[in-house]
Amino acid sequence: AGSLNILFTDKTGTLTEGKLKVIDILDSDFNNINLSNELIYQSLVYNNDSYFINNKVEGSNSTDRAILEYVQTDKKDKYKIISKEKFNSKKKYSSVTTTYQQETTFIKGAYEQIVNTSNYYLTDKNTERVLINKKEIIEKIEKRTNEGQRVIALAYKQYNKQVLLGFIFLKDNIRKEAYESIKRIHLWKKYRWWG
């Protein structure tokens, strides 16, 4: 150990609890979002492949499960699903098209991709405005990613017009016992004698 310069360790489930949790869902102006908003609800629930079994979220991936745990419902009986597109690492998003207002596509994915392909954003008054401050939004998000948060963007598309809805902020908390170990490594690094 005395000759170590770099120590690599697995993060998920070792340094962290291994359980992703939603900590915030915010609109494009970084205000809290009302989950009863029809557009938000469909983005979170319809564009989600996880489901509840005996009050426990099952299926899909850790992101979908964390979102459904936060929303606490998987009901998809108000609108019919027309088509679905699973997450694709090349496109960096998943989508679902429903019969909401005849036909609407809900998109969930990498914030850089969604922000850059959106032309409008939805205000807290549910009105659409032209999206002009993309750089400022990305900078605000990057501050939070630097704090160890994961960010997913939400948007919807109607008549080839893509509208940014907001952002889901998730985090896998550090294990309490990992703090002490990390602190010891930092102290060792600071005070070790090079000889």
Side-chain angles (χ1 to χ4, degrees):
S3 59
L4 278 177
N5 289 320
I6 299 170
L7 174 65
F8 288 99
T9 178
D10 177 43
K11 179 179 75 74
T12 307
T14 304
L15 295 180
T16 65
E17 294 171 353
K19 186 163 173 59
L20 208 55
K21 287 181 182 174
V22 172
I23 54 172
D24 271 326
I25 299 181
L26 306 176
D27 65 18
S28 305
D29 291 321
F30 293 82
N31 300 311
N32 286 312
I33 279 179
N34 186 341
L35 298 183
S36 64
N37 180 309
E38 200 67 55
L39 294 162
I40 298 299
Y41 182 87
Q42 289 193 76
S43 291
L44 300 175
V45 179
Y46 279 74
N47 191 9
N48 193 316
D49 287 329
S50 56
Y51 45 84
F52 278 97
I53 291 182
N54 299 323
N55 295 322
K56 191 179 175 197
V57 181
E58 303 282 356
S60 193
N61 55 45
S62 60
T63 302
D64 274 359
R65 289 193 297 272
I67 292 167
L68 217 58
E69 276 181 11
Y70 187 83
V71 182
Q72 283 295 298
T73 180
D74 61 358
K75 284 190 177 178
K76 299 176 185 171
D77 52 5
K78 194 169 180 181
Y79 303 100
K80 187 180 173 185
I81 292 174
I82 298 167
S83 65
K84 282 185 86 117
E85 190 177 349
K86 288 191 179 281
F87 180 82
N88 179 312
S89 56
K90 210 172 184 179
K91 290 184 176 178
K92 297 184 179 178
Y93 68 80
S94 66
S95 69
V96 63
T97 303
T98 75
T99 53
Y100 175 74
Q101 291 187 353
Q102 295 185 322
E103 190 174 307
T104 306
T105 300
F106 296 91
I107 303 157
K108 176 180 75 192
Y111 68 87
E112 316 96 307
Q113 174 76 8
I114 306 296
V115 170
N116 286 327
T117 55
S118 297
N119 308 105
Y120 298 85
Y121 73 98
L122 196 73
T123 70
D124 56 354
K125 302 279 189 281
N126 254 9
T127 54
E128 294 172 5
R129 295 270 187 270
V130 175
L131 184 61
I132 54 173
N133 60 335
K134 293 183 182 184
K135 190 180 173 195
E136 188 183 316
I137 288 172
I138 298 285
E139 283 171 0
K140 281 184 180 178
I141 290 171
E142 284 174 351
K143 273 187 183 175
R144 295 188 68 154
T145 59
N146 289 336
E147 294 168 5
Q149 295 177 28
R150 187 170 169 208
V151 185
I152 306 290
L154 303 172
Y156 67 92
K157 193 182 278 188
Q158 288 175 326
Y159 314 109
N160 292 321
K161 179 174 69 175
Q162 187 169 303
V163 182
L164 181 66
L165 272 170
F167 306 98
I168 307 167
F169 295 88
L170 307 104
K171 194 164 187 180
D172 184 1
N173 291 322
I174 294 174
R175 287 177 179 271
K176 285 175 184 169
E177 58 270 28
Y179 280 107
E180 188 59 38
S181 302
I182 293 165
K183 202 194 297 181
R184 282 184 188 179
I185 290 166
H186 279 292
L187 280 171
W188 172 79
K189 184 181 169 189
K190 188 176 179 181
Y191 297 112
R192 69 179 171 173
W193 180 63
W194 290 96

